[in-house]
């Protein structure tokens, strides 16, 4: 009797490559003294290159990389808008809110963004399996709708919460807290999504008589 391999979390690898690398580039360049525009441009370019890489290698659309590239591009455009220190801190909520709205809007479609991301990270056989599960088991797709909605609501709350904090706290305190707030929200959402996606794929793959769905993605 062969022992079944544990299902790996697709969202963890996805977030490390699609979101982690561009964000590390952005904040790393900022800490190194580069301008906001240069840091945002570097992050957006890396996210776009990741999207192209997945499209060429897997022949699939990378929703998370596209989302991050869009958010960074919006932030880059807004970086040229001047104002006082508090306005500049509030401005950081615009990109996060845009990402949240895109995620929430995807919930109304047949392809919620988290499902798009997991599918993009799969090989051809796994994509076919995911497509069949989505078609034959409505609860499978609905679970990914819930995950996309959780990301949308979480990021939107983070964006809204930042605004009163900017005007209640000193600017130097809020500068560090703003980054900590965003990373905390992303970390919590990532951990929950990785666990939940793994559970959903295992449950419904077993229910449909298949092996657990996994994604393999560099």
């Amino acid at each position: 009797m062969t022992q079944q391999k544990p299902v790996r979390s697709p969202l963890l690898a996805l977030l490390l490559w699609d979101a982690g690398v561009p964000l590390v580039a952005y904040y790393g360049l900022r800490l190194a003294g580069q301008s906001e525009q240069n840091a945002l441009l570097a992050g957006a370019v890396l996210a776009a290159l990741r999207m192209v890489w997945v499209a060429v290698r897997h022949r699939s659309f990378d929703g998370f990389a596209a989302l991050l590239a869009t958010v960074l591009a919006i932030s880059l455009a807004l970086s040229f808008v001047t104002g006082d220190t508090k306005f500049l801190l509030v401005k950081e909520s615009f990109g996060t809110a845009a990402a949240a709205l895109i995620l929430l809007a995807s919930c109304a479609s047949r392809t919620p963004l988290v499902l798009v991301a997991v599918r993009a990270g799969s090989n051809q056989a796994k994509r076919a399996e995911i497509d069949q599960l989505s078609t034959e088991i409505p609860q499978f797709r609905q679970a990914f709708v819930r995950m996309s909605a959780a990301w949308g609501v979480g990021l939107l709350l983070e964006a809204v919460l930042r605004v009163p904090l900017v005007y209640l706290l000193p600017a130097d305190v809020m500068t560090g807290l703003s980054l900590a707030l965003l990373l905390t929200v992303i970390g919590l959402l990532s951990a929950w999504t990785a666990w939940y996606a793994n559970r959903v794929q295992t449950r419904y793959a077993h229910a449909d008589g298949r092996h657990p769905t996994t994604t393999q993605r560099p």
Side-chain angles (χ1 to χ4, degrees), residues 18 47-63 65 120-121 127 217:
D18 288 359
L49 288 175
R50 174 65 178 171
M51 181 176 63
V52 172
W53 167 262
V54 172
V56 171
R57 183 171 181 179
H58 298 280
R59 296 182 179 179
S60 187
F61 175 67
D62 190 335
R127 286 200 298 270
R217 181 169 176 178

Side-chain angles (χ1 to χ4, degrees), residues 15 18 22 55 65 80 102 114 125 140 147 162:
L15 290 165
D18 288 359
F80 294 98
I102 292 171
V114 175
F140 179 81
M147 283 183 271
R162 180 182 287 107

Side-chain angles (χ1 to χ4, degrees), residues 93-162:
S93 289
F94 296 170
T96 308
L101 294 175
I102 292 171
L103 281 156
L104 290 173
S106 76
C107 295
S109 70
R110 291 194 56 82
T111 52
L113 193 56
V114 175
L115 179 60
V116 172
V118 172
R119 188 183 183 280
S122 304
N123 57 35
Q124 186 174 358
K126 293 302 179 183
R127 286 200 298 270
E129 183 177 336
I130 290 171
D131 290 343
Q132 188 167 358
L133 287 170
S134 299
T135 301
E136 296 178 357
I137 305 178
Q139 295 88 342
F140 179 81
R141 191 186 72 84
Q142 290 168 5
F144 284 90
V145 170
R146 285 193 290 272
M147 283 183 271
S148 299
W151 272 88
V153 171
L155 291 177
L156 189 59
L157 289 175
E158 188 274 340
V160 172
L161 179 61
R162 180 182 287 107

Side-chain angles (χ1 to χ4, degrees), residues 5-98:
K5 293 182 179 179
V7 180
R8 293 185 297 173
S9 169
L11 267 298
L12 183 59
L14 172 75
L15 290 165
L16 285 175
W17 286 97
D18 288 359
V21 173
L23 288 177
V24 166
Y26 169 72
Y27 288 112
L29 288 173
R30 290 294 285 152
L31 290 173
Q34 291 293 315
S35 68
E36 183 182 7
Q37 287 84 4
N38 287 339
L40 285 168
L41 180 61
V45 168
L46 285 174
L49 288 175
R50 174 65 178 171
M51 181 176 63
V52 172
W53 167 262
V54 172
V56 171
R57 183 171 181 179
H58 298 280
R59 296 182 179 179
S60 187
F61 175 67
D62 190 335
F64 269 17
L67 176 64
L68 187 60
T70 300
V71 170
L72 291 172
I74 292 172
S75 299
L76 178 60
L78 291 172
S79 69
F80 294 98
V81 179
T82 59
D84 60 20
T85 304
K86 290 187 180 295
F87 172 76
L88 295 178
L89 288 170
V90 169
K91 188 177 62 177
E92 295 181 10
S93 289
F94 296 170
T96 308

Side-chain angles (χ1 to χ4, degrees), residues 129 133 137 203-212:
E129 183 177 336
L133 287 170
I137 305 178
R203 177 194 304 166
Y204 290 113
H206 283 159
D208 201 41
R210 297 180 177 88
H211 294 295

